[in-house]
Amino acid sequence: MDKKILKIGITGGIGSGKTTACRIFETLGIPVYYADDRAKALMVDNPILVKNIKNLFGEQAYATDGSLNRIYIAEIAFHNPLKLKELNGVVHPAVWQDGEDWHNAQKHAPYTLKEAALLFESGGNKLMDKIITVVAPVEMRIERVLLRGGGTMSRSDVEARIAKQLSDEEKIKQSDFVISNDGSQALIPQILKIHQTLLDLK
Ligand code: ATP
């Protein structure tokens, strides 16, 4: 029988440093599934998902070259919470399935990491063996995103995003590990400690 490879979820609010933390895990040889990036790709490449999105939003959801009409979809979903819920209802299961298939293909890893901003909000946490949350103060997160963004997101855009995400306090309650990325503790030692604990669980 194949040995069980643990599935670890890693989450955190916008700008908390999830991706930065994942890059460090990658240097330790841990495969990382970036759910938000994969979701964007699947919305274009997965024929069943494309069909479901067209059923919800019409043919205009896609441009003639097959690319997703993000502005059109975002505009509808922003003003219509039911449509947003329906969109999530088709996207999240497709990403879960894709993430499961990806995990099952990682035969030689001690464990895998799944990075998702909305891990708890999407219910994806239920598929994970352990959960890591990356936390940092809200003001620091806003400043990091504004610095990173190259002007694509305004302060109010970031604040609106934060308002829709579960608070750090709520996430911490439901997590097995917390990485503090407020500048007071270096990331690498915190990650090495979690990594060792996860290796010892095997
Ligand atoms: P998102 O949810 O938007 O994808 P994220 O949680 O993945 O964000 P990152 O992209 O890792 O966050 O980090 C946000 C920005 O802050 C990046 O530009 C990153 O380089 C920077 N950053 C992360 N951690 C630190 C740190 N400890 N010190 C300084 N800058 C940092």
Side-chain angles (χ1 to χ4, degrees):
M1 211 179 75
D2 282 353
K3 65 178 166 40
K4 177 170 160 60
I5 295 177
L6 291 180
K7 275 181 230 166
I8 313 298
I10 180 163
T11 189
I14 180 168
S16 58
K18 298 177 290 299
T19 308
T20 307
C22 286
R23 300 281 182 230
I24 299 172
F25 279 102
E26 281 183 317
T27 67
L28 299 170
I30 301 306
V32 181
Y33 181 90
Y34 293 93
D36 303 333
D37 294 342
R38 278 300 292 156
K40 285 188 191 136
L42 291 168
M43 287 167 86
V44 176
D45 298 338
N46 179 317
I48 297 171
L49 183 55
V50 170
K51 187 165 156 281
N52 287 335
I53 292 173
K54 284 185 181 168
N55 284 344
L56 286 173
F57 292 90
E59 290 291 327
Q60 309 96 293
Y62 290 85
T64 42
D65 66 359
S67 62
L68 188 67
N69 194 344
R70 282 187 191 283
I71 296 172
Y72 168 80
I73 291 187
E75 182 65 19
I76 298 177
F78 187 79
H79 295 290
N80 186 338
L82 178 64
K83 277 281 177 209
L84 177 61
K85 202 168 167 223
E86 288 175 333
L87 176 64
N88 285 335
V90 295
V91 174
H92 290 156
V95 180
W96 291 336
Q97 188 57 58
D98 184 69
E100 291 294 291
D101 294 345
W102 172 87
H103 171 85
N104 292 333
Q106 311 302 314
K107 303 281 185 215
H108 303 293
Y111 60 90
T112 70
L113 269 189
K114 180 175 185 185
E115 190 230 54
L118 301 178
L119 189 68
F120 291 111
E121 294 87 339
S122 68
N125 58 317
K126 299 190 192 95
L127 297 166
M128 300 294 129
D129 296 305
K130 299 279 175 201
I131 294 180
I132 304 169
T133 293
V134 183
V135 297
V138 166
E139 190 54 35
M140 195 177 265
R141 288 161 50 197
I142 295 173
E143 278 165 18
R144 283 177 184 162
V145 174
L146 293 180
L147 272 177
R148 174 190 65 183
T152 50
M153 278 185 109
S154 68
R155 169 172 282 268
S156 60
D157 290 337
V158 185
E159 284 172 347
R161 195 73 77 81
I162 289 174
K164 287 204 184 109
Q165 298 181 337
L166 220 57
S167 68
D168 279 356
E169 203 183 9
E170 270 310 313
K171 288 186 190 125
I172 290 169
K173 271 192 218 159
Q174 301 183 60
S175 300
D176 301 281
F177 304 97
V178 176
I179 295 175
S180 172
N181 189 23
D182 62 1
S184 71
Q185 297 173 63
L187 283 178
I188 293 173
Q190 296 182 71
I191 289 172
L192 285 175
K193 194 168 166 210
I194 295 170
H195 178 65
Q196 193 55 54
T197 306
L198 293 172
L199 294 182
D200 291 345
L201 285 177
K202 273 181 56 184

